């Protein structure tokens, strides 16, 4: 297993490099970059994500029109950036230098890779702060949402799925299936709005706070009051995110257990006189859980980095999802690439952890003899 883990860790490097390279190439053709954003602010024009003049090579993030250097005339600049008419070409070059666009694309990419290998993500273009500081500042929100939703989802769904498998076809199985399906059908953001209206507004019951991860006087509270305050703020967002997450894991657990219960080794174990609990948790559980473990990485990443964006918006929780989402629209490329790098790295590490967990749950699985 050690050799397999080393191979997988080494494979992370070219994988990350490929992801960054592909994204960097795409960015070259993305219009409405940071230089155009600054020009728009200076000239009072509006630059959206699709606007561009002249059909030249796209984006501010890098390509330089060879004609723009000829003659030193400002008219050439207008074919590259929308709204640059009338601005001094030297001033445009200063803006490009400020964002690092005065260097060739390959040089900028290699510099970015070198910095990322040292976890140096640079400074945000528009927030005048180090990207790593922004990410660390937003981490508590994303970790809180991701961690608790995952624990709630798996902690409730797996026992419930096992109970449904054992009671397959019973009244308990039928009514819980109905409740789960209804919960799955309600979008998380819609449920979040409903919860705010019902439990965080003066219209009905003003029980829970409307926004934020903690109260303004959090630092003045005792340690046990801080814990209560934290969960008081987290209750509604967690309910909004967790309800729809129960369905997939619950039914996957149930169906996996039903498949295993019907196999010959279970019949043999029962014939030997083992108790139903011993059969279920001593034999069936290990095999049935393999398919649940397989879906764990995708579930964790979706909760941390995609499923929380709307919830963060609704409950005014400023986390990584919101930070990345805003950075994409603002063309704040240091944040975009840093988020991509971190999310991709975490995804690869979580997949490796999933494989290791596979071998722990079922020692018969041998990754050592397989090709990566």
């Amino acid at each position: 297993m050690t050799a397999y883990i080393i191979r997988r860790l080494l494979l992370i490097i070219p994988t990350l490099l490929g992801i960054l390279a592909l994204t960097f190439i795409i960015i070259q053709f993305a219009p409405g970059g940071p230089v155009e954003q600054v020009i728009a602010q200076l000239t009072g024009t509006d630059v959206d994500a699709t606007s561009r003049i002249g059909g030249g090579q796209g984006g501010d993030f890098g390509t330089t029109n060879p004609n723009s250097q000829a003659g030193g005339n400002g008219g050439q600049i207008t074919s590259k950036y929308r709204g640059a008419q009338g601005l001094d070409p030297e001033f445009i070059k200063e803006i490009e230098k400020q964002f690092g666009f005065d260097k060739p694309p390959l040089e900028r990419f290699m510099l970015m890779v070198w910095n990322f290998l040292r976890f140096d993500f640079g400074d945000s273009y528009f927030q005048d702060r180090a990207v790593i500081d922004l990410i660390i500042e937003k981490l508590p929100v994303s970790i809180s949402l991701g961690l608790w939703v995952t624990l709630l989802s798996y902690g409730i769904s797996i026992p419930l799925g096992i109970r449904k498998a054992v009671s397959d076809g019973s009244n308990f199985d039928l009514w819980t299936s109905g409740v789960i399906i209804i919960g799955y059908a309600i979008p998380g953001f819609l449920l979040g709005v409903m919860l705010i209206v019902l439990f965080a507004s003066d219209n009905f019951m003003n029980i829970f706070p409307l926004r934020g991860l903690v109260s303004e006087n959090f630092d003045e509270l005792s340690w046990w009051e801080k814990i209560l305050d934290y969960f008081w703020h987290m209750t509604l967002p967690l309910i909004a995110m967790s309800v729809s997450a129960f369905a997939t894991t619950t039914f996957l657990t149930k169906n996996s257990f039903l498949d295993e219960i019907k196999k010959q080794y279970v019949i043999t174990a029962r014939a030997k006189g083992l108790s139903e609990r011993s059969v279920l948790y001593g034999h069936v559980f290990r095999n049935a859980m393999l398919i649940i473990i397989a879906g764990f990485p995708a579930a964790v990443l979706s909760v941390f980095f995609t499923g929380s964006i709307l919830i963060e918006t609704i409950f005014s929780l400023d986390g990584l999802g919101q930070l990345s989402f805003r950075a994409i629209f603002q063309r704040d490329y240091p944040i975009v690439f840093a988020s991509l790098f971190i999310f991709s790295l975490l995804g690869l590490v979580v997949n490796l952890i999933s494989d290791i967990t596979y071998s722990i749950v079922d020692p018969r699985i041998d990754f050592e003899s397989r090709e990566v």
Side-chain angles (χ1 to χ4, degrees), residues 1-304:
M1 191 66 185
T2 303
Y4 173 78
I5 294 174
I6 294 174
R7 291 200 305 269
R8 286 293 299 272
L9 289 174
L10 292 176
L11 190 61
I12 288 177
I13 298 174
T15 303
L16 285 174
L17 186 62
I19 293 172
L20 289 175
L22 180 61
T23 307
F24 187 89
I25 292 171
I26 294 173
I27 287 293
Q28 304 309 300
F29 301 96
V35 174
E36 288 187 356
Q37 300 277 356
V38 172
I39 292 173
Q41 293 175 7
L42 293 173
T43 59
T45 58
D46 184 21
V47 177
D48 58 32
T50 59
S51 60
R52 186 172 63 195
I53 289 292
Q57 290 180 315
D60 315 321
F61 201 70
T63 54
T64 302
N65 186 337
N67 294 328
S68 64
Q69 304 300 325
N73 131 12
Q76 299 294 341
I77 300 296
T78 60
S79 65
K80 185 177 178 182
Y81 301 119
R82 180 182 181 181
Q85 296 91 336
L87 293 179
D88 186 351
E90 293 300 322
F91 178 70
I92 300 297
K93 290 180 181 179
E94 285 297 321
I95 298 177
E96 289 180 329
K97 185 177 181 180
Q98 177 185 344
F99 292 116
F101 298 157
D102 56 325
K103 301 180 179 67
L106 181 59
E107 182 181 344
R108 286 186 284 108
F109 176 73
M110 297 306 296
L111 179 61
M112 181 184 71
V113 170
W114 170 245
N115 290 333
F116 278 21
L117 289 175
R118 296 179 292 123
F119 287 88
D120 178 7
F121 302 116
D123 296 331
S124 167
Y125 285 160
F126 301 108
Q127 300 192 46
D128 195 28
R129 292 182 60 189
V131 172
I132 190 63
D133 291 339
L134 289 170
I135 291 175
I136 292 174
E137 181 182 293
K138 313 302 180 185
L139 268 178
V141 172
S142 296
I143 290 177
S144 295
L145 290 173
L147 178 64
W148 291 116
V149 170
T150 302
L151 291 177
L152 281 173
S153 174
Y154 277 78
I156 295 175
S157 297
I158 291 175
L160 180 59
I162 296 173
R163 173 68 187 280
K164 286 172 67 62
V166 174
S167 309
D168 185 40
S170 66
N171 289 333
F172 173 82
D173 181 37
L174 294 176
W175 73 260
T176 52
S177 294
V179 172
I180 292 172
I181 291 173
I182 292 173
Y184 181 74
I186 302 175
F189 70 90
L190 179 60
L191 180 59
V193 173
M194 292 170 57
L195 291 173
I196 287 177
V197 171
L198 291 175
F199 301 109
S201 69
D202 295 330
N203 296 327
F204 291 93
M205 294 175 284
N206 192 357
I207 301 175
F208 295 99
L210 187 59
R211 59 174 60 86
L213 190 62
V214 293
S215 299
E216 293 182 359
N217 64 335
F218 183 77
D219 293 334
E220 302 172 4
L221 303 176
S222 62
W223 67 268
W224 63 270
E225 289 177 325
K226 289 181 178 180
I227 295 175
L228 291 177
D229 182 76
Y230 168 76
F231 283 107
W232 182 48
H233 282 77
M234 289 297 296
T235 299
L236 296 186
L238 288 179
I239 292 175
M241 290 185 67
S242 301
V243 168
S244 61
F246 292 144
T248 302
T249 308
T250 300
F251 286 121
L252 192 60
T253 303
K254 175 189 174 182
N255 293 333
S256 180
F257 268 79
L258 285 176
D259 288 341
E260 293 296 325
I261 287 172
K262 297 175 183 177
K263 292 183 178 179
Q264 184 63 43
Y265 75 89
V266 176
I267 299 174
T268 303
R270 286 171 173 166
K272 290 181 178 180
L274 295 178
S275 67
E276 191 65 23
R277 184 178 182 84
S278 297
V279 171
L280 195 62
Y281 292 99
H283 295 74
V284 176
F285 183 82
R286 184 177 64 183
N287 296 322
M289 286 303 295
L290 291 176
I291 193 171
I292 310 299
I293 295 172
F296 182 76
V300 171
L301 293 178
S302 65
V303 168
F304 268 78

Side-chain angles (χ1 to χ4, degrees), residues 3-4 7-8 355 358 364-372:
Y4 173 78
R7 291 200 305 269
R8 286 293 299 272
D355 286 347
Y358 258 128
R364 296 173 300 174
I365 297 178
D366 183 17
F367 290 105
E368 198 73 52
S369 60
R370 296 174 55 189
E371 294 293 332
V372 179

